[in-house]
Amino acid sequence: MRGSRPVSPSLTRTPAAGIAVAAAALLALTSCSSSAEEDAGAQESESTESAESAGSFPATVETEFGEVTVEEEPQRVVALGWGDAEVALDLGVEPVGASDWIGFEDSNGIGPWVENTYSEDPEILGTLELSYEAVAALEPDLILDVRSSGDQERYDRLSSIAPTVGVAPGGANYLTDSAEQVQMIATALGQPEAGEEMLAEQDEAFAAATEEHPDWAGQTVTVATRTAEGWGAYTEADGRVEFMQDLGFEQNAEVADLGGEGEFSVNISDEQLNLLDADLLIGFPIFIEATEITEDEGWNSIPAVEDGRSMVITDDLANAFSLGTPEAQIFALDELTGEIEETLGQ
């Protein structure tokens, strides 16, 4: 056990004859033995602590592109995937470069729920339009691109710069789920146990919420959005729908039927808006004003909206709900459960 020392052997009594000589010898031997064992125990403890601080390396991660081995603890990590930087920060690793997919107000591209923030500002890199030259200039020894497109050319260019942990097997088109993301990044950073602890904390939070709200089980939900290009809805391949399923809800079957294999979202025309109807309808704007949803005539004609079974979420809540990292999900859970209770009267 770490930090323990061997127990010194117990002293035995000698006969009365010659006890002075025997006792002196025994005390001397015991003292030497105890000191030597204590020194050995201290060295073993220091060695164990040193090994633990260095992490579990070499570390091998299974990806869509095959196994990636990280030989030793990385010193310069670049995190490019959706939420990859936040997972690394939660594990105590500060990326030197990161991508901000959400467009956070924070100049370092992280949400207000992040506890382990940067001590030095990272270089904020592109997302879809990524400068590989800018990545290379940071001289990374590990690149994280876990929740990403899984594009082969992108992976090839990144892996020519440094060892790159790409999407999970079958996780192309941003389909690497939250649990896979945490496990892969934690493994690559030599901290698989810490990753499992993060996921366990998240699971406990959802379990507590579902226990408090048994009436949500089996009710249907639609998670919809509007952008400058139009309406859309998410499928169960997306983390937002998975979030609601973890609370006991079931995806709106009509939306589910529209999604093909490998699609995390589907387009919805103005004429199809009634397909969004469900026991609970959640909508949020992406880079547009919320009023473009709340004041839209078609939106307001959906039965769920007319009956008061809908909500439009914005700002930090919408960002946390979308990002899907453990810290973000726990933040969103704390905020969203109250709004669902108010909306459904439960």
Side-chain angles (χ1 to χ4, degrees):
M1 182 167 56
R2 189 167 74 90
S4 65
R5 292 185 293 190
V7 178
S8 300
S10 60
L11 301 180
T12 56
R13 295 185 179 274
T14 62
I19 61 171
V21 175
L26 185 56
L27 286 171
L29 289 171
T30 303
S31 175
C32 292
S33 174
S34 176
S35 176
E37 289 178 358
E38 286 179 1
D39 289 344
Q43 291 174 1
E44 181 181 357
S45 177
E46 290 175 3
S47 175
T48 302
E49 289 176 355
S50 175
E52 289 181 355
S53 65
S56 302
F57 296 100
T60 300
V61 185
E62 293 284 347
T63 79
E64 174 71 11
F65 308 99
E67 290 186 351
V68 176
T69 299
V70 183
E71 297 292 345
E72 57 187 12
E73 183 176 9
Q75 302 300 313
R76 296 183 62 81
V77 176
V78 167
L80 301 175
W82 182 278
D84 287 355
E86 282 200 6
V87 175
L89 284 168
D90 202 9
L91 291 165
V93 174
E94 295 186 26
V96 296
S99 295
D100 179 6
W101 290 86
I102 299 292
F104 287 109
E105 292 183 4
D106 185 280
S107 61
N108 288 333
I110 56 176
W113 48 82
V114 176
E115 292 187 7
N116 296 331
T117 58
Y118 290 98
S119 60
E120 294 185 17
D121 294 345
E123 182 78 18
I124 297 299
L125 302 160
T127 53
L128 294 175
E129 297 180 1
L130 178 64
S131 168
Y132 299 99
E133 292 76 12
V135 175
L138 292 171
E139 300 181 345
D141 49 14
L142 177 66
I143 298 172
L144 302 174
D145 200 34
V146 178
R147 289 185 71 185
S148 180
S149 65
D151 177 74
Q152 183 72 54
E153 181 182 357
R154 176 181 170 107
Y155 176 79
D156 290 343
R157 295 190 68 175
L158 289 173
S159 60
S160 71
I161 298 170
T164 298
V165 179
V167 300
N173 193 29
Y174 308 94
L175 294 181
T176 300
D177 66 34
S178 176
E180 290 174 322
Q181 178 187 32
V182 170
Q183 290 163 344
M184 292 171 71
I185 292 176
T187 298
L189 297 179
Q191 302 182 57
E193 294 85 2
E196 293 300 330
E197 289 174 6
M198 289 166 59
L199 293 174
E201 182 181 359
Q202 174 183 294
D203 290 344
E204 288 171 6
F206 275 93
T210 56
E211 185 176 356
E212 291 176 8
H213 304 94
D215 292 340
W216 293 352
Q219 295 201 54
T220 59
V221 67
T222 299
V223 180
T225 187
R226 190 177 190 181
T227 70
E229 297 180 356
W231 298 94
Y234 293 98
T235 72
E236 62 182 358
D238 182 77
R240 301 167 185 84
V241 174
E242 183 181 9
F243 182 107
M244 299 306 299
Q245 290 174 326
D246 287 343
L247 288 176
F249 290 91
E250 296 179 359
Q251 174 163 38
N252 172 358
E254 291 189 276
V255 171
D257 289 342
L258 294 176
E261 184 177 354
E263 289 185 314
F264 65 86
S265 67
V266 294
N267 295 325
I268 303 291
S269 69
D270 290 342
E271 295 74 27
Q272 293 177 303
L273 283 181
N274 272 357
L275 293 177
L276 302 180
D277 188 43
D279 293 323
L280 175 65
L281 171 57
I282 299 175
F284 63 95
I286 297 181
F287 300 130
I288 60 172
E289 294 297 323
T291 53
E292 294 198 39
I293 294 179
T294 59
E295 296 179 4
D296 182 83
E297 183 177 346
W299 171 267
N300 286 300
S301 69
I302 300 171
V305 180
E306 292 181 329
D307 296 342
R309 293 178 282 107
S310 69
M311 64 175 70
V312 176
I313 60 176
T314 60
D315 302 325
D316 289 341
L317 175 53
N319 291 337
F321 184 58
S322 297
L323 195 65
T325 63
E327 282 186 299
Q329 290 205 51
I330 292 173
F331 176 91
L333 188 63
D334 290 342
E335 298 285 324
L336 195 59
T337 50
E339 293 202 21
I340 297 174
E341 288 171 357
E342 184 177 344
T343 300
L344 297 181
Q346 300 168 341

